[in-house]
Amino acid sequence: MKQDWKPGTMIYPLPAVLVSCGSAPEEYNILTVSWVGTICSDPAMCYISVRPERHSYPIIKKNMEFVINLTDKALAFATDWIGVRSGRRFNKFEEMRLTPGKARYVSAPLIEESPLNIECKVREIISLGSHDMFISEVLNVKADEKYLQKETGKFELAEAGLIAYVHGGYFELGKQIGKFGWSVEKKK
C-alpha cells in the first residue's frame, strides 16, 4: 500500500556539489547545491537552482558564471559545513582549507580538491518560486588526472568516491550494477 503526500522534491539521489563563484579573491564564495543537473549535451548545458536570499546569488548573477565542483568522500564534511554556513560570515575556502584554483574560461575559482570541475557561463535565469534556475553553458571541464587510465585515456570518474544527497543525508555511491546498454548487449 502507498500513501499520498503533498507535492515535494523527492527525486533522489542527487549530486551534492560545491559551486564556487566570484571574480576576485575578496569576492570568492562557495555554496552547496543539490538542485543541479544536465540540460543538454550539444551544446553542453547544465543548471543550478539557488535561493535569491543566499549570499552567492548576487555574486553569480553579477558575474554570470560559476564552477560546479563534484564532491567525494574526502569533501563530505566540507560539503555539509559549506551548506549550513553563510559566506557573509565566513571565508569558506579558508575555513575548510580548500584551494581556489584558476579556471580556464571563467573568473570564478575552481576547487582544486574536487575530482572534477565544470566551468559554466550563465545564459538565462528563470525565477521559479523559492529558487531561481541558472541555465548555463559548459565552457570547460577539468578532470583530476589520477582518475585517467594511462593505457586507454578513459576517465574513471566512478573511482573518485563521489557522494550523493538523499533526503537529508549524504551517501557514498555503491558498487556498479550495470552499464549503459548492458540490457541489450548480445551475449557471447
Side-chain angles (χ1 to χ4, degrees), residues 68-87:
I68 296 172
N69 304 275
L70 298 190
T71 55
D72 57 17
K73 187 176 178 179
L75 288 169
F77 181 85
T79 301
D80 183 64
W81 192 93
I82 287 166
V84 297
R85 299 288 193 268
S86 174

Side-chain angles (χ1 to χ4, degrees), residues 94-139:
E94 287 179 10
E95 293 286 336
M96 290 292 101
R97 295 185 178 100
L98 297 174
T99 311
K102 177 117 175 80
R104 183 167 185 180
Y105 293 109
V106 299
S107 299
L110 55 83
I111 298 173
E112 290 288 353
E113 292 78 7
S114 171
L116 191 84
N117 318 98
I118 305 166
E119 299 175 36
C120 300
K121 183 78 173 160
V122 178
R123 289 183 42 178
E124 184 178 353
I125 303 170
I126 301 174
S127 294
L128 297 171
S130 64
H131 291 68
D132 286 0
M133 179 184 284
F134 290 82
I135 295 176
S136 306
E137 185 171 355
V138 174
L139 300 182

Side-chain angles (χ1 to χ4, degrees), residues 4-171:
D4 289 320
W5 284 7
K6 69 176 184 161
T9 53
M10 296 299 289
I11 300 170
Y12 292 109
L14 294 165
V17 303
L18 294 173
V19 174
S20 48
C21 59
S23 61
E26 59 275 4
E27 184 184 54
Y28 287 173
N29 195 42
I30 311 168
L31 71 155
T32 300
V33 174
S34 282
W35 307 151
V36 56
T38 300
I39 296 175
C40 185
S41 58
D42 187 16
M45 294 182 68
C46 60
Y47 77 92
I48 61 170
S49 290
V50 180
R51 290 180 182 269
E53 62 270 17
R54 297 290 186 238
H55 177 68
S56 294
Y57 181 94
I59 297 170
I60 296 170
K61 191 168 183 178
K62 179 185 88 164
N63 294 307
M64 297 297 278
E65 60 185 30
F66 56 87
V67 178
I68 296 172
N69 304 275
L70 298 190
T71 55
D72 57 17
K73 187 176 178 179
L75 288 169
F77 181 85
T79 301
D80 183 64
W81 192 93
I82 287 166
V84 297
R85 299 288 193 268
S86 174
R88 289 181 185 92
R89 297 184 51 227
F90 296 96
N91 179 321
K92 295 178 182 182
F93 276 102
E94 287 179 10
E95 293 286 336
M96 290 292 101
R97 295 185 178 100
L98 297 174
T99 311
K102 177 117 175 80
R104 183 167 185 180
Y105 293 109
V106 299
S107 299
L110 55 83
I111 298 173
E112 290 288 353
E113 292 78 7
S114 171
L116 191 84
N117 318 98
I118 305 166
E119 299 175 36
C120 300
K121 183 78 173 160
V122 178
R123 289 183 42 178
E124 184 178 353
I125 303 170
I126 301 174
S127 294
L128 297 171
S130 64
H131 291 68
D132 286 0
M133 179 184 284
F134 290 82
I135 295 176
S136 306
E137 185 171 355
V138 174
L139 300 182
N140 192 42
V141 175
K142 286 193 177 283
D144 191 325
E145 291 178 351
K146 72 181 170 186
Y147 301 111
L148 195 62
Q149 283 186 356
K150 290 179 183 19
E151 305 80 35
T152 63
K154 182 180 178 197
F155 186 64
E156 295 290 351
L157 189 55
E159 294 177 12
L162 298 177
I163 62 173
Y165 179 78
V166 178
H167 204 226
Y170 299 98
F171 295 85

